[in-house]
Amino acid sequence: MIPVEEARARILAPLRPTQAEIVPLAACLGRVTASPILARLTQPPADVSSMDGYAVRASDTGDLTVVGEAPAGHPWEGILEARQAVRLFTGSVVPAGANAVVIQENVTREGDTITLTRAVAHGANIRSAGQDFAKGDGLVPAGRRITPRDVGLIAAANHPWVSVHRRPRVAILATGDEIALPGDPIPQGGIVSSNAHALAAFVQRAGGEALVLPIAPDDRAAIAAAAQGSAGCDLLITTGGASVGDHDLVASALANAGLVLDFWTIAMRPGKPLMHGHLGPLPLIGLPGNPVSTLVCAILFVGPALARLQGLPGDAPRTTAAILGADLAGNDHRADHLRATLATDASGRLVATPFPRQDSGMLRALAHADALILRPPHASAAKIGDPVEILQLDGLG
Amino acid sequence: MIPVEEARARILAPLRPTQAEIVPLAACLGRVTASPILARLTQPPADVSSMDGYAVRASDTGDLTVVGEAPAGHPWEGILEARQAVRLFTGSVVPAGANAVVIQENVTREGDTITLTRAVAHGANIRSAGQDFAKGDGLVPAGRRITPRDVGLIAAANHPWVSVHRRPRVAILATGDEIALPGDPIPQGGIVSSNAHALAAFVQRAGGEALVLPIAPDDRAAIAAAAQGSAGCDLLITTGGASVGDHDLVASALANAGLVLDFWTIAMRPGKPLMHGHLGPLPLIGLPGNPVSTLVCAILFVGPALARLQGLPGDAPRTTAAILGADLAGNDHRADHLRATLATDASGRLVATPFPRQDSGMLRALAHADALILRPPHASAAKIGDPVEILQLDGLG
């Protein structure tokens, strides 16, 4: 059994980001940039007004003559002289000769004459050319997951296309004689397959493309044949068959296909029997069959692996400080991940209360949990109010 | 000018959730349930083993005879008698007559005989029928955004289809003679359209379906014609033309089409000139033309509106406590939303440091910001280290 951190490091080590593909701007949200995005133009392209008002010379006061109008997109072509004004709107180019904008609320207008009761400061209400960015500026670095704000910035920088890492393709293979697809006939003593579907959703949310393979029965030849469906993928995830029982067949089934095992147990709960290795060039993560273990392992290992495949670092999921809402016994040698609800106490602190039962067969409790309380190996007993580290599940799966 | 909270309440008040549609399980991630999801079966369906081992009677010790084997999915059909054992695996049905499972590591086996050195407790290593859920249990309430964990639970409950609220359709209309699509020729004094694309990404991330209409020039008839492209949508968002200048045409252009204005300015910065009303039955949010105002207003108003349209409450975005990384002057009568970076100090506290320039034309600063510092109207001057409320942008847009 190896520690959680070592397992994550060994899973991540051989992973390389996928190659770049070109996607239209409208499809780049959530993708990871494959190269830096530079400004193709200067923004604003010229000095522009930040308000509705009049372009003037800063020294002028009293009565000025309005000699023209420049709606946004229709610059006034002349050169503004002393005691002249040009009507501007937000975004209008400030004409040559002007060096300030007076806000329309601060003047009175009679015909073509405006009256300024006091002088306006040099540069007032002007956005200088390049105030936002200059042509050639690096705006979005490579290796960043694109937000809606980034989409706006990329558009403003005049890019109709974006180079991003291809979505990692993840094949998901569920095994077991006892499982049936939702809605399909259920064999006697059988259950409905949930792991593959939860994993596919997890992969999708993490930015990958999930390929759900047909369920393989508990038969070495069938498992090996089903695994061939992962051709062209960047990662194969199996669920079930990663334990040590006689019917845990995945490792032996794939051994014939050339599986090189790296490790197969982690000092953690739930999820001890996690298998990692390579099938030729294809990385394989073999998850245990029970759904709680599968999803906790997905959060701890599959999420970082998908991040790494997309060109992100793939750091451990970020923890948050909280305080305990119930006493906890001391922990054994396995890192524990207790399903918990969150609340905020009167002084604004986050309180994590573990469910009384932590059986790894209880999918409902995991789905209803707000967080996992992280209990390191050999953690001492802890009391209500003691500090703990948690993983908030909201953003993770 | 009305306060931010009142503006949000007035935008949300008339919105009703979209009707339900049926989507396959594999497409329900991130959608909002339209009705409660009940368990269609009991899970586990029978008492099952939680380990690899042997089904026994709890009182038995010493030598027991292995009379059968029950792989998961292949129950043993007999009735276990005293001093008998049946080989089980994780997930195997516990045979009639047995009431405990002894872990395989805790016995020795010779041929068909296993030896227990000590008795195993009644119920040990058995997951009782229904421990996770019983047929008819409510597993996922209506009005919940489906997570990957929920997908697993819905699958396990035997649902191949899920009833969810239809994605709200949001038409986005950018107006202005000065704007051009990314990659298209840019008019003299013009800029590249970024608002519509950032909004479309925002809508997509918030669970809506964005319909980006062609850019309308600054012409009443053209704007009214372009707005007809919103037919069948649940919300129309315009950008540009929401201010009070002569070239702010949206309100007057749509007045002829029957626009009923509700309000048109909010006591906030950036984003004061936000317009809200109805075009017949269609709610309209008119956002200001500058990109920072557009995105801040999207976070404060469009996000909650989309949540409400999907069957969620549409609460204000959740704030976090932080401390200031720079001094701030006192605030005027408008709620301010300062773009800021976040860091964590030595004692683990979140430190929000506003950018020195807060011009609403600076899209790059918004894209690079981690948070908005919320400054209520008339907030007093504040010092480094003072507490502030922030909106973390990461999950918001």
Side-chain angles (χ1 to χ4, degrees):
Chain A
M1 289 201 290
I2 63 173
V4 169
E5 295 70 23
E6 182 184 339
R8 187 157 42 226
R10 283 164 72 162
I11 289 171
L12 290 181
L15 300 179
R16 298 287 168 269
T18 58
Q19 296 294 309
E21 68 167 324
I22 297 298
V23 298
L25 176 71
C28 75
L29 177 68
R31 306 296 296 271
V32 178
T33 47
S35 42
I37 298 177
L38 310 184
R40 287 185 168 161
L41 40 70
T42 292
Q43 176 63 20
D47 290 1
V48 297
S49 177
S50 65
M51 303 293 278
D52 291 336
Y54 295 86
V56 297
R57 292 192 176 186
S59 45
D60 284 353
T61 52
D63 290 352
L64 311 185
T65 307
V66 179
V67 295
E69 178 172 293
H74 302 280
W76 186 74
E77 302 292 351
I79 297 175
L80 187 113
E81 295 180 5
R83 314 210 63 76
Q84 291 186 338
V86 167
R87 178 80 172 115
L88 299 184
F89 305 91
T90 304
S92 295
V93 174
V94 177
N99 57 21
V101 171
V102 57
I103 302 175
Q104 64 184 15
E105 288 85 349
N106 293 351
V107 302
T108 52
R109 181 166 178 169
E110 282 270 338
D112 281 343
T113 302
I114 60 168
T115 306
L116 276 73
T117 50
R118 51 184 185 147
V120 58
H122 191 287
N125 303 308
I126 291 179
R127 290 190 175 121
S128 321
Q131 178 189 299
D132 199 351
F133 49 80
K135 186 171 175 172
D137 281 359
L139 298 183
V140 183
R144 173 170 164 97
R145 198 183 288 285
I146 296 170
T147 67
R149 292 172 287 140
D150 294 329
V151 171
L153 187 57
I154 295 166
N158 206 23
H159 291 265
W161 302 96
V162 187
S163 174
V164 297
H165 289 284
R166 176 176 59 70
R167 288 189 189 283
R169 289 187 285 262
V170 180
I172 297 167
L173 174 59
T175 65
D177 284 356
E178 77 280 23
I179 58 174
L181 291 170
D184 272 1
I186 304 169
Q188 202 212 342
I191 59 167
V192 181
S193 167
S194 64
N195 280 348
H197 311 291
L199 277 171
F202 184 91
V203 164
Q204 184 187 335
R205 178 150 161 184
E209 200 177 291
L211 183 71
V212 178
L213 301 175
I215 295 169
D218 282 328
D219 172 273
R220 285 186 177 77
I223 292 171
Q228 291 179 8
S230 64
C233 287
D234 302 294
L235 178 63
L236 170 59
I237 302 178
T238 63
T239 94
S243 186
V244 294
D246 300 12
H247 285 272
D248 294 309
L249 296 171
V250 171
S252 61
L254 297 182
N256 296 335
L259 176 66
V260 177
L261 269 179
D262 176 26
F263 62 82
W264 52 92
T265 49
I266 303 180
M268 66 180 282
R269 183 174 43 245
K272 180 179 113 183
L274 184 146
M275 180 169 78
H276 175 247
H278 281 82
L279 205 56
L282 181 68
L284 176 144
I285 300 177
L287 298 179
N290 89 57
V292 175
S293 302
T294 288
L295 280 161
V296 170
C297 289
I299 290 167
L300 296 182
F301 305 111
V302 177
L306 278 165
R308 180 67 66 92
L309 285 168
Q310 285 170 89
L312 295 166
D315 298 329
R318 200 167 49 186
T319 61
T320 309
I323 60 173
L324 268 179
D327 294 349
L328 285 178
N331 193 19
D332 63 11
H333 60 292
R334 287 156 67 186
D336 210 347
H337 302 82
L338 304 174
R339 281 69 76 195
T341 55
L342 289 181
T344 304
D345 73 5
S347 49
R349 294 175 307 177
L350 214 50
V351 181
T353 306
F355 288 112
R357 291 197 68 170
Q358 292 286 334
D359 189 290
S360 65
M362 293 168 75
L363 181 55
R364 170 155 56 167
L366 178 66
H368 291 185
D370 301 312
L372 299 176
I373 298 175
L374 302 186
R375 295 278 286 161
H378 309 295
S380 346
K383 293 273 176 207
I384 291 186
D386 284 353
V388 278
E389 278 207 306
I390 61 167
L391 287 177
Q392 290 192 262
L393 289 171
D394 196 26
L396 289 173
Chain B
M1 289 201 290
I2 62 172
V4 170
E5 296 68 26
E6 183 185 339
R8 187 159 39 229
R10 283 163 71 163
I11 290 172
L12 291 181
L15 301 179
R16 298 287 168 268
T18 58
Q19 296 293 309
E21 67 168 323
I22 296 299
V23 296
L25 176 71
C28 75
L29 177 67
R31 305 296 295 271
V32 178
T33 47
S35 42
I37 298 177
L38 311 184
R40 286 185 168 160
L41 40 69
T42 291
Q43 176 62 22
D47 291 359
V48 297
S49 178
S50 65
M51 303 294 279
D52 292 335
Y54 295 86
V56 297
R57 293 192 174 185
S59 45
D60 283 353
T61 51
D63 291 351
L64 311 185
T65 306
V66 179
V67 295
E69 177 172 293
H74 302 280
W76 186 74
E77 302 292 352
I79 296 174
L80 187 114
E81 295 181 3
R83 314 211 61 77
Q84 291 186 338
V86 167
R87 179 81 172 113
L88 298 184
F89 306 91
T90 305
S92 296
V93 173
V94 177
N99 57 21
V101 171
V102 58
I103 302 175
Q104 64 185 13
E105 287 85 349
N106 292 351
V107 302
T108 52
R109 180 166 179 169
E110 283 269 338
D112 281 343
T113 302
I114 59 168
T115 307
L116 276 72
T117 50
R118 53 186 185 145
V120 59
H122 191 287
N125 304 307
I126 291 179
R127 291 191 175 120
S128 322
Q131 178 188 298
D132 199 353
F133 49 79
K135 186 172 175 171
D137 280 358
L139 298 184
V140 183
R144 175 171 163 97
R145 198 182 288 285
I146 296 170
T147 67
R149 291 170 288 142
D150 294 329
V151 171
L153 187 57
I154 295 166
N158 207 22
H159 291 265
W161 303 95
V162 186
S163 174
V164 297
H165 288 285
R166 176 176 58 70
R167 288 189 190 283
R169 289 186 285 262
V170 180
I172 297 167
L173 174 60
T175 65
D177 284 355
E178 78 281 22
I179 57 173
L181 291 170
D184 272 1
I186 305 169
Q188 203 212 342
I191 59 166
V192 181
S193 166
S194 63
N195 280 350
H197 311 291
L199 278 170
F202 184 90
V203 164
Q204 183 188 336
R205 179 150 160 184
E209 199 177 291
L211 184 70
V212 178
L213 301 175
I215 295 170
D218 281 329
D219 172 272
R220 286 187 176 76
I223 292 171
Q228 291 180 8
S230 63
C233 286
D234 302 294
L235 177 64
L236 169 60
I237 302 178
T238 63
T239 95
S243 184
V244 294
D246 300 11
H247 285 270
D248 294 310
L249 297 170
V250 171
S252 62
L254 298 181
N256 295 334
L259 177 67
V260 178
L261 269 180
D262 177 25
F263 62 82
W264 52 92
T265 49
I266 303 180
M268 67 179 282
R269 186 173 40 245
K272 180 180 112 183
L274 183 147
M275 181 169 78
H276 176 246
H278 282 81
L279 205 56
L282 180 68
L284 176 142
I285 299 177
L287 299 179
N290 90 58
V292 175
S293 302
T294 290
L295 281 161
V296 170
C297 289
I299 289 167
L300 295 182
F301 306 110
V302 178
L306 278 165
R308 179 66 66 92
L309 285 168
Q310 285 169 90
L312 295 166
D315 298 328
R318 200 167 49 185
T319 61
T320 309
I323 61 172
L324 268 180
D327 293 350
L328 285 178
N331 192 20
D332 64 11
H333 59 292
R334 287 156 68 188
D336 211 346
H337 303 82
L338 304 175
R339 281 68 77 196
T341 54
L342 289 181
T344 305
D345 72 5
S347 49
R349 295 175 307 177
L350 215 48
V351 180
T353 306
F355 287 112
R357 291 197 66 170
Q358 292 286 334
D359 189 289
S360 65
M362 293 169 73
L363 181 54
R364 170 157 54 167
L366 178 66
H368 291 184
D370 302 313
L372 299 176
I373 298 175
L374 302 185
R375 296 277 287 160
H378 309 295
S380 345
K383 293 273 176 208
I384 292 186
D386 283 353
V388 279
E389 277 208 307
I390 61 166
L391 287 178
Q392 291 193 259
L393 290 171
D394 195 28
L396 290 173

